[in-house]
Amino acid sequence: RPDGQQLPLSYAQQRLWFIEQLNPQADASYNIPIHLSIEGALDIAALEYSFNQLLQRHESLRTRFVVNKDDVPNQVIEPFTAVSLPFTDLSQLPPEAKEAQASQYRQKNAQMPFDLEKGPVYHIHVVRLDSETHQLLFTIHHIAFDAWSTGIFLREIVIHYLQKTTGTSLPLPQINVQYADYTLWQQNQLTPEVLAKQLSFWREHLAHAPTT
């Protein structure tokens, strides 16, 4: 895509953005929580490195959604800036209190609403239960993520973690097309003429459908 071009929302993003405007920052219906239990020793610094590699690699994780001067929502992709992983150590608590506190963190991470305009579109938190048990709490808004994205997220964070902790070379393919590029392609494909033709098709086929 050309540098400096305004980036529209895809049609799927427009729908989610519109719903958000009806009840801004007060609804977690479109939150996607990914809560991972990690058994064994955990290198927190390597996990932080791994997440930052994803953050740098995938623009969707760095995207905000703002309204331009024409009152049209656009994507704004922030430049990459490394982040620190919020970390809570519960290892000193009694077992019952530990699990209760961990459950509260999971619920809070999953239900916390997002400000799509300010960003970021994700929440992340690492909780230590003991030296061999951790939980990675990651929640992201559906406007930037879907079920297919979950597999990519899990695969790549593991690959980066292994590269950092073992020195193993596991190169990932370069990403040449980001989601913002797809939205521009979609806008170019679905012109008003194409949409009018598709609408006409369905009006014709549904002309005699029941109205109740």
Side-chain angles (χ1 to χ4, degrees):
R1 62 181 182 268
D3 291 335
Q5 180 170 355
Q6 285 198 350
L7 301 174
L9 276 60
S10 70
Y11 288 108
Q13 288 178 324
Q14 286 179 21
R15 180 175 67 251
L16 292 165
W17 180 87
F18 176 77
I19 293 172
E20 177 74 13
Q21 306 317 299
L22 299 178
N23 197 16
Q25 302 174 44
D27 189 4
S29 298
Y30 288 97
N31 286 11
I32 300 177
I34 302 174
H35 295 167
L36 303 178
S37 293
I38 304 172
E39 302 296 332
L42 177 66
D43 187 330
I44 298 293
L47 183 61
E48 184 174 278
Y49 164 84
S50 303
F51 180 72
N52 276 298
Q53 290 298 305
L54 264 72
L55 197 60
Q56 184 174 28
R57 181 172 164 82
H58 297 282
E59 292 180 347
S60 294
L61 299 176
R62 296 184 274 113
T63 300
R64 297 185 295 114
F65 300 87
V66 303
V67 176
N68 65 18
K69 62 182 180 181
D70 298 318
D71 291 329
V72 176
N74 280 156
Q75 301 182 61
V76 175
I77 300 170
E78 295 293 335
F80 167 71
T81 301
V83 300
S84 300
L85 296 188
F87 176 79
T88 300
D89 189 349
L90 304 178
S91 59
Q92 302 304 313
L93 295 179
E96 297 81 3
K98 182 186 303 183
E99 181 50 41
Q101 191 71 30
S103 178
Q104 290 181 15
Y105 278 116
R106 289 194 298 269
Q107 184 174 1
K108 179 181 179 181
N109 190 273
Q111 296 298 318
M112 191 184 305
F114 291 99
D115 186 332
L116 299 183
E117 182 174 1
K118 292 182 179 179
V121 293
Y122 66 85
H123 307 307
I124 190 166
H125 198 144
V126 179
V127 177
R128 171 178 287 164
L129 301 180
D130 57 54
S131 61
E132 297 290 316
T133 309
H134 295 77
Q135 293 182 353
L136 173 63
L137 313 180
F138 178 75
T139 301
I140 187 166
H141 197 283
H142 188 28
I143 201 168
F145 210 82
D146 60 13
W148 185 266
S149 307
T150 303
I152 297 173
F153 174 85
L154 296 175
R155 181 174 65 254
E156 292 195 5
I157 204 165
V158 168
I159 287 174
H160 289 302
Y161 185 84
L162 289 174
Q163 289 186 138
K164 186 67 172 177
T165 55
T166 68
T168 305
S169 178
L170 300 167
L172 289 166
Q174 182 177 349
I175 298 178
N176 295 315
V177 177
Q178 298 276 351
Y179 191 79
D181 299 304
Y182 162 76
T183 63
L184 289 172
W185 173 86
Q186 186 185 62
Q187 293 283 332
N188 290 331
Q189 293 295 310
L190 297 178
T191 62
E193 294 77 17
V194 171
L195 292 173
K197 184 177 180 180
Q198 293 187 1
L199 185 59
S200 176
F201 172 89
W202 286 109
R203 281 178 169 162
E204 178 182 344
H205 281 72
L206 297 175
H208 302 294
T211 58
T212 60

